Every structure is written in C-alpha cells, then in structure tokens.
Amino acid sequence: MANAAEDFSQFGISKEEKDKLVGELIRYMLFKTHQNSGCPIKREELTQLVTKNYHQRNLPTFVINEAKEKLSFVFGYEMRELQRTQPSSKARTQSSQQSVADSKSYILISQLPPNVYEKYVVDVNTAHLSGFTFVIISIVYLAGGKIPEENLWSQMRRMGLGETESSHPVLGNVKQAFELLVQQRKTKLMVLKAILYIMSLLREL
C-alpha cells in the first residue's frame, strides 16, 4: 500500500479527486456493459474520462488499475483486458506503441463460480433474447457504433434472421422481436440514467 501511495503522489491531485475518477470509470464500465450487452469497451473511452480534466501522462493507467481492483473487490467482476492482434513491425515508434494501447479494450466477467452463475443469474427463459441482442450489438459495434437499419438487416439475413421471417423456431416474428428489443433498451437506458443521477446527488450530500 505504501508503494501505491507513493505512486499516487506523483499526480498532484487529491485523494477525493482520484476516488471520483475511479468511481466515474466504474460507473461507465457498468453502464456501458449493461447498455451494450457485454460488448468490449475501448480503452480510449476510459482514458478520455480522465484526460478531459487531467493531463498527467500515467494517470489514466493508474485510475484503470484502481477501478479493476474495486470492481473485483466490491462488485465481483473481473475487468479483463483484450487486445486486437497488430501486424508486426521492426521499427516500433512511439506512435505505433500508442496505436497498440488504443487497440485495447475491456470486458466485465463475473467472478461467480459457473454453477452459481448458471443457477442464480442466467435466465433460461430469456437466454435466446440475450443472444439475439448480442448479435445485433456486435454488428453495430463492428460497424463503428452506427449502422443504417437496412444494412443491419442485410447482415442479419446472412444468419437466417430476416425481417420478413414470422415463424422463427426460437424468436417467432423476427421483426417484432427486434422492435421489442429496441423499446426495452430505451426503457432500461432511461432507468439507468435516473439511477446514476440519483447516485450523483447522494454523493453530494
């Protein structure tokens, strides 16, 4: 712990400021994970939470590491780092090293034992909708975060999920399942925003 305090002292910010940054990053991870059904969150997004007000070079890494510890200890999540494979290069410049850092992303993984997770967390009645959600979000994610609906359906038709399919063996009417999913996610997003707003008010009391 002494080393952690020593490392922290170099940034020239108060403990309250540091704790606030860690809290913001944790909320962002939890919110985005729920919003995007577990899709990876880019390190760049997390870094921007820190650098929008602070410009110390190694502060984002410090805050991310602190968030990892708290997510594990308090919430029971492992914040696992992912990294896309980069083409090898003999000349590794600082810019190329930065691009490697930017290619990193994170996901949250429950630390519950698999049998406990299956019994108390997984809902077999909605598992097919979770899979459907993940497919859609993955397509949108790979498209850069936005995709025209006609292009989305074009990709989904390749997987046998056409918008005109009305008797899918699991989803039934695929178009209706999609529209219901969109509506549910809008509702959940509103609830999450309200919860986060209330939490921010409580912190100020």
Side-chain angles (χ1 to χ4, degrees):
M1 298 300 293
N3 289 337
E6 184 179 347
D7 291 341
F8 169 64
S9 65
Q10 67 181 298
F11 300 118
I13 61 176
S14 67
K15 182 179 183 300
E16 289 73 19
E17 289 176 297
K18 183 264 294 183
D19 289 342
K20 183 178 179 181
L21 287 171
V22 173
E24 287 179 355
L25 196 145
I26 289 173
R27 284 192 297 276
Y28 189 86
M29 283 295 303
L30 294 171
F31 180 82
K32 289 285 287 188
T33 295
H34 183 80
Q35 181 184 12
N36 294 335
S37 296
C39 282
I41 298 169
K42 294 179 181 179
R43 181 186 176 93
E44 180 183 4
E45 297 178 44
L46 304 181
T47 298
Q48 288 174 353
L49 293 176
V50 179
T51 57
K52 65 182 179 181
N53 292 319
Y54 301 91
H55 305 290
Q56 293 88 331
R57 182 179 178 184
N58 295 322
L59 184 57
T61 298
F62 182 88
V63 172
I64 288 173
N65 289 336
E66 285 262 314
K68 285 182 179 180
E69 293 182 7
K70 286 199 172 183
L71 279 165
S72 176
F73 181 75
V74 178
F75 295 94
Y77 282 115
E78 176 192 355
M79 183 175 165
R80 182 172 297 180
E81 181 180 287
L82 308 175
Q83 183 172 317
R84 294 195 303 270
T85 302
Q86 298 290 319
S88 60
S89 174
K90 295 181 180 179
R92 290 189 176 275
T93 62
Q94 185 175 356
S95 61
S96 67
Q97 292 174 352
Q98 181 64 39
S99 67
V100 170
D102 291 342
S103 70
K104 293 179 180 178
S105 57
Y106 298 90
I107 58 173
L108 293 182
I109 299 176
S110 174
Q111 294 177 321
L112 288 173
N115 59 323
V116 176
Y117 187 85
E118 289 286 338
K119 184 175 182 180
Y120 295 104
V121 179
V122 175
D123 185 351
V124 295
N125 296 318
T126 60
H128 62 290
L129 292 176
S130 297
F132 184 53
T133 303
F134 190 81
V135 167
I136 294 172
I137 291 177
S138 297
I139 294 173
V140 175
Y141 179 82
L142 292 172
K146 292 182 180 180
I147 186 172
E149 186 172 336
E150 58 269 24
N151 292 354
L152 174 63
W153 282 114
S154 175
Q155 296 296 325
M156 291 175 62
R157 281 194 294 271
R158 296 184 178 184
M159 296 179 283
L161 297 171
E163 66 270 42
T164 59
E165 175 64 65
S166 60
S167 56
H168 189 275
V170 177
L171 297 170
N173 189 305
V174 176
K175 180 74 170 179
Q176 289 181 1
F178 174 77
E179 292 173 348
L180 178 62
L181 175 65
V182 171
Q183 186 59 45
Q184 287 177 341
R185 294 187 67 77
K186 286 181 179 178
T187 302
K188 288 181 179 179
L189 185 60
M190 292 174 63
V191 172
L192 279 171
K193 286 183 176 179
I195 292 173
L196 291 175
Y197 176 70
I198 293 171
M199 289 174 63
S200 68
L201 293 178
L202 291 174
R203 287 201 314 273
E204 296 175 0
L205 295 178

